[in-house]
Amino acid sequence: YYSSCVGVEEHHAVDIDLYHCPNCAVLHGPSLMKKRRNWHRHDYTELDDGSKPVQAGTRTFVKQLRARSFPSADEVILKMHGSQLTQRYLEKHGFDVPIMVPKLDGLGLRLPPPTFSVLDVERYVGGDKVIDVIDVARQADSKMKLHNYIKYFTNPDRPKVLNVISLEFSDTKMSELVEVPDIARKLSWVENYWPDDSVFPKPFVQKYCLMGVQDSYTDFHIDFGGTSVWYHVLWGEKIFYLIKPTDENLALYESWSSSVTQSEVYFGDKVDKCYKCVVKQGHTLFVPTGWIHAVLTSQDCMAFGGNFLHNLNIGMQLRCYEMEKRLKTPDLFKFPFFEAICWFVAKNLLETLKELREDGFQPPSYLVQGVKALLTALKLWMKKELVTEHAFEIPDNIRPGHLIKELSKVIRSVEEENSKLVKTQGILGVCPTSRSSHETTSPHHSRRRVRKLRDHATKTPSNLDILELHTREVLKRLEMSPWEEASINSKLNGRFNKPFQPSSTVPEWRTKDNDLRLLLSNGRIIRDERRPFTDRSLYTADSEDEDDRTRSKKTTVKVEDQPSGSEGEGNADAQKPLN
């Protein structure tokens, strides 16, 4: 039966040896419970003969973990003020080690006050919301209504250790109380590249509320899809056990994760160094891509966090994703539509690389390496024997073959140019990709800023907006001659100063604008009905330079000396512009 139908919590059902329904309970008493025989095994009914090793999450395990000694994370983490943690800083120095920010100031992170309680979470999210709860002693997942978990959390008598780490609340009222750190928002693939009109639902991984009672433990893991993650402890305390994502450590992690004895082996003992990092109330920790970590809740705690993919560690993100597939990680525990967002990002980064080349800048090395890793993954997913497995996540508006071909071409060009001199505005090879708006004063920066606003900030227009734009365009074309329309469609960088005339007043000579004016055979002019183009108001700042104007003047003088064309029109008509 469903646990809700018989009034038994899912996590509690495993403890029942013999269930008595309400009618039977009157005659035979309450349900019979299983007997505890040990404190160090996930199955606490196993006989404790002392021969079986301690398993992760059990009471004995947590007690032993607290007694262990670890090297301090101060050896590897960076501590900085929130205002120092900028996109430009990470692009220059990389995002390869954890970063601790002791205060909220300058992070752009907005949160409820520390007085915010689990009861407030229920009020904003709704008590009927079904959430995932981890039974820590068994390291097992079960479903539970938020109201029941809050009731458990506020009760001092807790027979079990239950932990909540996956309550994503972006679609609830509580979302209005939390603003993610500026750096996470600026780097996030979902925020920057996910199109509003995508047929795939937008991944919600930006805002999590973590509620854990004392002694909650999450075993070693890498965050899904190789995402980076930020944690802020609102009240209480969490202890992180951090391991570098070296090639050796990642290979050991994959082997350990696929082992049947995983829960009996403490992964921290298998690697060279496992660092201990205490995150106290008010502290914010940023964990970069691929770092292997476990978390112990040393006292009742509420924390907020979020996951984000970004351009700084694309290769490592893809590596983690491929590892998840080899480990057959269930879809529930993977980044939603990871491959789809890779296609969106590839399309956008192709434009970015093209724009940087147009502007004369050399793309930063992290971006070139990231795009190469992305290109390798896309090619792999499109292999004949694998394409059916990956086709589902290819967005409708993307031509995968064309995109791969274009990316290959631009990467090849970039690598060829790396050995040549590149026009820069400062240090060779530095691209001002993170320049703020008040710093971007040159035409190159302005064009890139406009393109970025166009590509990323503009919301998808509604059907009415599209209809209105279309109508305006049609009306505008009805009001202009073919010559003016052709000029606009040729995308000249400027606007014509001459006012448009209503179509009813267009002179007869302009209605013949599509006639052939110049006919050549074997390089000889057979028919020449061209007219000189001397109306200076039709020139634009960008369409002709001084040399061109001089040449046009000479041509005009030369043509005016010749007899009139075959149509026999006077000099007055000779001043009219050409198509």
Side-chain angles (χ1 to χ4, degrees), residues 27-59:
L27 299 173
H28 304 286
S31 300
L32 301 179
M33 310 306 288
K34 292 177 181 176
K35 293 180 180 179
R36 176 175 290 280
R37 294 189 172 93
N38 69 72
W39 293 96
H40 67 291
R41 302 290 293 173
H42 289 167
D43 179 4
Y44 59 81
T45 63
E46 286 183 342
L47 291 173
D48 183 13
D49 59 359
S51 62
K52 293 183 178 176
V54 175
Q55 288 183 297
T58 59
R59 182 182 292 188

Side-chain angles (χ1 to χ4, degrees), residues 513-524:
D513 198 57
N514 288 328
D515 293 346
L516 287 172
R517 303 294 178 83
L518 185 65
L519 195 62
L520 294 96
S521 175
N522 292 332
R524 296 177 58 193

Side-chain angles (χ1 to χ4, degrees), residues 44-249:
Y44 59 81
T45 63
E46 286 183 342
L47 291 173
D48 183 13
D49 59 359
S51 62
K52 293 183 178 176
V54 175
Q55 288 183 297
T58 59
R59 182 182 292 188
T60 305
F61 171 88
V62 171
K63 187 176 179 181
Q64 291 177 356
L65 180 62
R66 284 180 179 273
R68 283 173 177 262
S69 60
F70 295 87
S72 171
D74 291 340
E75 293 180 28
V76 288
I77 68 170
L78 283 174
K79 289 186 179 178
M80 59 174 64
H81 189 270
S83 59
Q84 297 174 303
L85 185 55
T86 62
Q87 187 173 348
R88 179 185 287 187
Y89 175 87
L90 293 181
E91 285 173 350
K92 183 178 180 181
H93 300 281
F95 184 22
D96 300 316
V97 296
I99 296 172
M100 175 74 81
V101 181
K103 293 182 179 179
L104 273 176
D105 303 341
L107 270 178
L109 174 59
R110 185 165 60 86
L111 292 165
T115 53
F116 195 76
S117 70
V118 291
L119 293 170
D120 294 315
V121 173
E122 181 183 2
R123 185 157 56 92
Y124 279 95
V125 175
D128 287 335
K129 184 177 179 71
V130 177
I131 60 174
D132 291 302
V133 176
I134 298 171
D135 183 343
V136 174
R138 293 175 50 244
Q139 289 291 286
D141 194 60
S142 63
K143 301 287 184 184
M144 193 175 189
K145 282 190 176 181
L146 179 58
H147 169 76
N148 292 334
Y149 181 76
I150 302 304
K151 186 178 176 183
Y152 154 84
F153 197 103
T154 53
N155 186 351
D157 182 25
R158 301 166 182 160
K160 289 187 174 186
V161 178
L162 301 180
N163 192 19
V164 171
I165 59 172
S166 55
L167 172 54
E168 217 288 340
F169 60 90
S170 292
D171 58 344
T172 72
K173 290 181 180 178
M174 196 162 79
S175 181
E176 299 167 9
L177 305 179
V178 177
E179 198 68 59
V180 304
D182 284 342
I183 188 64
R185 191 166 56 253
K186 286 176 181 175
L187 292 178
S188 169
W189 276 5
V190 173
E191 293 295 327
N192 290 307
Y193 301 127
W194 192 272
D196 293 329
D197 59 351
S198 170
V199 295
F200 301 112
K202 187 175 181 178
F204 283 133
V205 295
Q206 292 88 335
K207 296 179 180 180
Y208 286 98
C209 179
L210 299 87
M211 296 176 286
V213 300
Q214 183 175 331
D215 291 342
S216 292
Y217 175 76
T218 305
D219 210 359
F220 286 97
H221 63 283
I222 296 173
D223 276 281
F224 51 75
T227 49
S228 299
V229 61
W230 62 271
Y231 293 96
H232 177 89
V233 174
L234 192 69
W235 44 263
E237 183 182 86
K238 283 187 179 286
I239 300 173
F240 282 73
Y241 302 93
L242 302 163
I243 296 172
K244 288 181 182 179
T246 62
D247 291 344
E248 185 182 358
N249 288 347

Side-chain angles (χ1 to χ4, degrees), residues 58 73 92 106 127 134 190 195 218 312 320 325 327 362 396 414 439 479 505 508 516 522 579:
T58 59
K92 183 178 180 181
I134 298 171
V190 173
T218 305
L312 299 173
C320 294
K325 289 203 297 182
L327 293 172
Q362 185 177 6
D396 291 340
V414 166
E439 295 172 308
E479 292 301 314
T505 64
E508 184 183 353
L516 287 172
N522 292 332
N579 185 352

